[in-house]
Every structure is written in structure tokens, then in C-alpha cells.
């Protein structure tokens, strides 16, 4: 029996150990250490932004973005149903209203053609979430934001290093965010980043991250903040990871195209689109969607593959179907057919950076096996 292939494994064999040892040897393990600023400076430079503000995770980055942009009670934020709940949490906690958009059935991103009809007088922002490998069509989004005077939040957690027409994902939002969870393109274990060009927003995010301590009167508070500080140890790993981002992207594309080739004749699943007019797929994760001709759904496929030693994960469960959000009174009579189908029929295969050719071939063989 061959070894179990996990759905993800991070690759940490660059300078991670060396930089971590520097933290420990120097005693700088809190957020005060030098790697934090270095990581922020290098991220800002790499993504062409004026400010990069490190935080504890990608969810926290979104929370801070909502707060800093002063999205408040009654404000509407347009975002996809097919996403992670991180995108909605602070919108809901602050008393704002998430307004959902269905997915495009080919790219799996928010269907941008459906945005305008959801805009009302209360719409304050659009939150773009790049899903799985291809960016959202940003030209259309930017035009809508301009026409209706809307703020743009860009959750680029899944596409660190991807470009939209030669401009990096993470460079579009009034505030853009990244996550460095171990399945993301670069990892810090847990971690996130807020990116912006606006000095005022950057200052607000820095304050929110640090309990809204005030300069001068440190323990006197005029605002409510959080503690979202990244440690020097996390940032040390981040610096080492960022050094290899281009290599990681190449590896992801190699994984994706290898799967594509091996599944060429597998007609009963929809494969990820290799490219659009504005981007080449980066294959953050390699997702497939089972066609209606197959009698079983993704949950069964995942179970079958697990038994064969292949780790898989389901696609996102749509936000409009989330029990807690329904219970809170959201999305009562709403249905989004594409997002619902993607959850039922979609799942992803091992996509981590440590995958070898032999492993990919074995995974492909097992996938063929369950669909015969
Ligand atoms: C991973 C992810 C997040 C959350 O990041 P965490 O660091 O796990 O909090 C947010 N949005 C998207 C699209 C993600 O993929």
C-alpha cells in the first residue's frame, strides 16, 4: 500500500529555519522584531502597494478592512455566495448587509454580469474574492465601482502571485487582503496582510491591529481595536517564503497542467479552465466538478478517494445556505444555482507544493478508477 497523499503540504526548505533561528538567537519573538517590517516592506514592493500591514490571519485582515473603510449598520456589501465565511463575519457583526452574487459556471468566480442589478442606494462596497486559480474580471469591477462610487475590497488570499492582465492580484482594492495559512501560495503558519495605497486607511489599520493604543497616551483609548499583531517568527518564515514565490507559482502551474493532461480523456468531470483572456490559471488548488451524468456527488467521490489514500476537500458551501446565516435571518428565499451545484459536485485534489510527478500520476490513476 502506497503512502497517503495529503490534500496539502507546505514547502519549508528554503531560509525558513535560518531566519527562525535568528529570531530565537536574538530574542525577538514578538511583533516588535525586525522581520515584521522587512516582510511588510517586501510585500508592499512585490505587489506594488504603498502600504502592507501584517496581521494574525486572512480573516482578521478582512475584519480590519471592513472597520477601516467604515462600513457600518445598514450598509450593503456585494460579494459572492461561493466563498469562505471569513468574508462575511465582520460585515454581519457590524450590522451591515451582505448581498450575494452567484458564480460563473466556468471560472467559478463571482458572475460580474449580475452585480449591477444588485446595487441599491445602500450599497457601499464590492468585495471581490478571487477563487481557486483565476482572477475575477477586474476591469468590469473597477468600472462598476467608478460608475456607482463604491469602495473595493479585494480578497486575494488564494491568488498570491497571480496577475490580472500583468497587474498583481492584491493591487486592485482600496484595501486588498492576503492569507498565509499553510495551503496558500506562501505561508507563515497563520498570518495575513492588508494592502493599500491610502495613508489614512493604512494608519487606521495599524491602529486597529494594535488595540488602538495612542501615541503619547498609550493606555488611553478613543477607539476600539483588536490585537492582530503578527509575530517576528511568523514574519521570518514569510520573508523566506516570499523569496520563493515565483518558484512556487511555477510549481503550482506545473501541478495544474500535469493533472489537466492526465485527465484529458476524463469526460465526466469539468476541469479548471487553463486560461482566460486576462490570466493564466495559477491552480492554487486543483478543483474538478463532476458532471450530471455521474450518479454520485462530490461527497462520495471524496470518500472513495480517501479510501484509496488520496486526501481531498469539498468546495465551499455557499453563504446563502449557511445554517447560522439563515438563522440570523439572511438570504431567506435566495438561491444561487451555480454556487449550489459547485458545492454538490465540486471538490479538489491534492494541490500542495511538495507533490511529485509519481504522486500526481497515482492520484490521476485513482480518480480514473472511481469514475469507471
Ligand atoms: C484562506 C482564505 C481566507 C481566510 O484566511 P485565514 O488566514 O485562514 O483566516 C479568506 N479568504 C479566502 C478567499 C481564503 O481562501
Amino acid at each position: 500500500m502506497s503512502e497517503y497523499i495529503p490534500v496539502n503540504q507546505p514547502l519549508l526548505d528554503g531560509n525558513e529555519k535560518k531566519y527562525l533561528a535568528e529570531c530565537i538567537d536574538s530574542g525577538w519573538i514578538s511583533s516588535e522584531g525586525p522581520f515584521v517590517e522587512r516582510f511588510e516592506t517586501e510585500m508592499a514592493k512585490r505587489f506594488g502597494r504603498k502600504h502592507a500591514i501584517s496581521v494574525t490571519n486572512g480573516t482578521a485582515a478582512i475584519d480590519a478592512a471592513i472597520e477601516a473603510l467604515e462600513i457600518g449598520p445598514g450598509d450593503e456589501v456585494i460579494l459572492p455566495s461561493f466563498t469562505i465565511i471569513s468574508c462575511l463575519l465582520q460585515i454581519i457583526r457590524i450590522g451591515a448587509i451582505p448581498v450575494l452574487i452567484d458564480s460563473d459556471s466556468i471560472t467559478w468566480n463571482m458572475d460580474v454580469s449580475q452585480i449591477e442589478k444588485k446595487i441599491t442606494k445602500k450599497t457601499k462596497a464590492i468585495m471581490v474574492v478571487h477563487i481557486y486559480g483565476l482572477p475575477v474580471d477586474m476591469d468590469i469591477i473597477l468600472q462598476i465601482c467608478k460608475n456607482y462610487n463604491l469602495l473595493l475590497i479585494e480578497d486575494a488570499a488564494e491568488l498570491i502571485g497571480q496577475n490580472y492582465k500583468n497587474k498583481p492580484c492584491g493591487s486592485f482594492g482600496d484595501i486588498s487582503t492576503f492569507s498565509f495559512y499553510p495551503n496558500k501560495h506562501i505561508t507563515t503558519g497563520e498570518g495575513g496582510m492588508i494592502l493599500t495605497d491610502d495613508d489614512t486607511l493604512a494608519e487606521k489599520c495599524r491602529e486597529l491591529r494594535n488595540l488602538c493604543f495612542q501615541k503619547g497616551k498609550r493606555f488611553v483609548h478613543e477607539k476600539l481595536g483588536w490585537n492582530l499583531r503578527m509575530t517576528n517568527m511568523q514574519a521570518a518564515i514569510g520573508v523566506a517564503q516570499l523569496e520563493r514565490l515565483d518558484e512556487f507559482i511555477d510549481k503550482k502551474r506545473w501541478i495544474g497542467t500535469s493533472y489537466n493532461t492526465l485527465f484529458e480523456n476524463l469526460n465526466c468531470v469539468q476541469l479548471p479552465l487553463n486560461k482566460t483572456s486576462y490570466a493564466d490559471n495559477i491552480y492554487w488548488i486543483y478543483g474538478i466538478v463532476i458532471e450530471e451524468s455521474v450518479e454520485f456527488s462530490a461527497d462520495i467521490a471524496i470518500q472513495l478517494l480517501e479510501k484509496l489514500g488520496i486526501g481531498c476537500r469539498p468546495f465551499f458551501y455557499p453563504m446563502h445556505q449557511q445554517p447560522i446565516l439563515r438563522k440570523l435571518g439572511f438570504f431567506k428565499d435566495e438561491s444561487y444555482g451555480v454556487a449550489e451545484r459547485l458545492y454538490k459536485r465540486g471538490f479538489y485534489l491534492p494541490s500542495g507544493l511538495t507533490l511529485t510527478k509519481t504522486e500526481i500520476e497515482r492520484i490521476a490513476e485513482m480518480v480514473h478508477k472511481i469514475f469507471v
Side-chain angles (χ1 to χ4, degrees), residues 55-62 82-87 127-132 155-159 177-184 189-193 284 316:
V55 289
T56 43
N57 55 65
T59 307
I62 298 168
F82 189 69
T83 186
I84 187 166
I85 199 159
S86 308
C87 299
M127 186 187 293
V128 159
V129 187
H130 306 296
I131 299 286
Y132 295 167
D155 178 358
E158 302 184 354
L159 296 197
T177 62
F178 286 140
S179 159
F180 306 122
Y181 190 72
N183 65 351
K184 306 294 155 82
E190 302 285 349
M193 193 72 78
W284 169 59
F316 290 130

Side-chain angles (χ1 to χ4, degrees), residues 57-319:
N57 55 65
T59 307
I62 298 168
D63 293 348
I66 298 293
E67 182 73 15
L69 291 168
E70 294 180 13
I71 288 164
D75 290 339
E76 294 177 1
V77 180
I78 292 177
L79 78 174
S81 182
F82 189 69
T83 186
I84 187 166
I85 199 159
S86 308
C87 299
L88 282 85
L89 293 174
Q90 185 61 15
I91 295 175
I92 287 167
R93 289 193 174 122
I94 202 74
I97 298 157
V99 174
L100 301 179
I101 303 284
D102 203 358
S103 301
D104 177 276
S105 64
I106 307 295
T107 66
W108 308 333
N109 275 313
M110 169 160 68
D111 181 350
V112 293
S113 72
Q114 294 184 38
I115 292 176
E116 273 187 285
K117 61 181 177 223
K118 293 255 178 156
I119 294 174
T120 72
K121 283 201 196 85
K122 292 183 184 162
T123 308
K124 180 117 189 230
I126 296 178
M127 186 187 293
V128 159
V129 187
H130 306 296
I131 299 286
Y132 295 167
L134 288 167
V136 174
D137 194 342
M138 291 310 298
D139 282 348
I140 296 173
I141 299 284
L142 292 170
Q143 192 60 52
I144 294 173
C145 286
K146 201 169 154 208
N147 291 352
Y148 295 89
N149 194 24
L150 302 176
L151 295 165
L152 177 60
I153 303 157
E154 181 191 20
D155 178 358
E158 302 184 354
L159 296 197
I160 306 174
Q162 172 64 293
N163 285 338
Y164 172 83
K165 295 186 179 172
N166 298 321
K167 205 170 173 274
C169 293
S171 70
F172 290 92
D174 291 294
I175 295 185
S176 301
T177 62
F178 286 140
S179 159
F180 306 122
Y181 190 72
N183 65 351
K184 306 294 155 82
H185 287 102
I186 56 173
T187 184
T188 60
E190 302 285 349
M193 193 72 78
I194 298 165
L195 300 125
T196 183
D197 298 329
D198 185 296
D199 298 344
T200 310
L201 286 176
E203 193 45 39
K204 271 193 202 164
C205 290
R206 286 196 188 98
E207 282 176 9
L208 288 169
R209 165 177 74 176
N210 197 22
L211 296 169
C212 294
F213 283 135
Q214 296 198 88
K215 291 188 186 98
K217 316 174 271 178
R218 184 173 176 87
F219 294 110
V220 180
H221 296 272
E222 305 282 351
K223 285 186 229 157
L224 298 179
W226 290 288
N227 178 353
L228 308 178
R229 302 185 302 256
M230 175 182 272
T231 69
N232 199 48
M233 297 180 285
Q234 292 167 305
I237 296 175
V239 169
Q241 288 269 297
L242 184 57
E243 290 171 353
R244 300 179 69 188
L245 179 55
D246 291 323
E247 180 196 335
F248 289 173
I249 293 162
D250 288 347
K251 177 87 194 250
K252 286 280 190 184
R253 289 211 164 104
W254 172 80
I255 294 169
T257 49
S258 300
Y259 277 131
N260 277 346
T261 308
L262 292 161
F263 293 143
E264 229 163 36
N265 300 318
L266 192 66
N267 296 322
C268 58
V269 298
Q270 178 195 350
L271 303 179
L273 191 65
N274 189 33
K275 60 157 83 188
T276 63
S277 59
Y278 48 79
D280 291 343
N281 203 320
I282 200 173
Y283 302 103
W284 169 59
I285 51 122
Y286 192 86
I288 58 180
V289 181
I290 306 170
E291 301 283 3
E292 298 302 324
S293 60
V294 179
E295 68 221 17
F296 57 84
S297 292
D299 51 347
I300 302 293
I302 292 169
Q303 279 175 29
L304 293 171
L305 285 166
E306 285 283 346
K307 273 191 206 127
L308 294 167
I310 313 293
C312 297
R313 282 275 187 290
F315 273 12
F316 290 130
Y317 190 61
M319 290 304 119

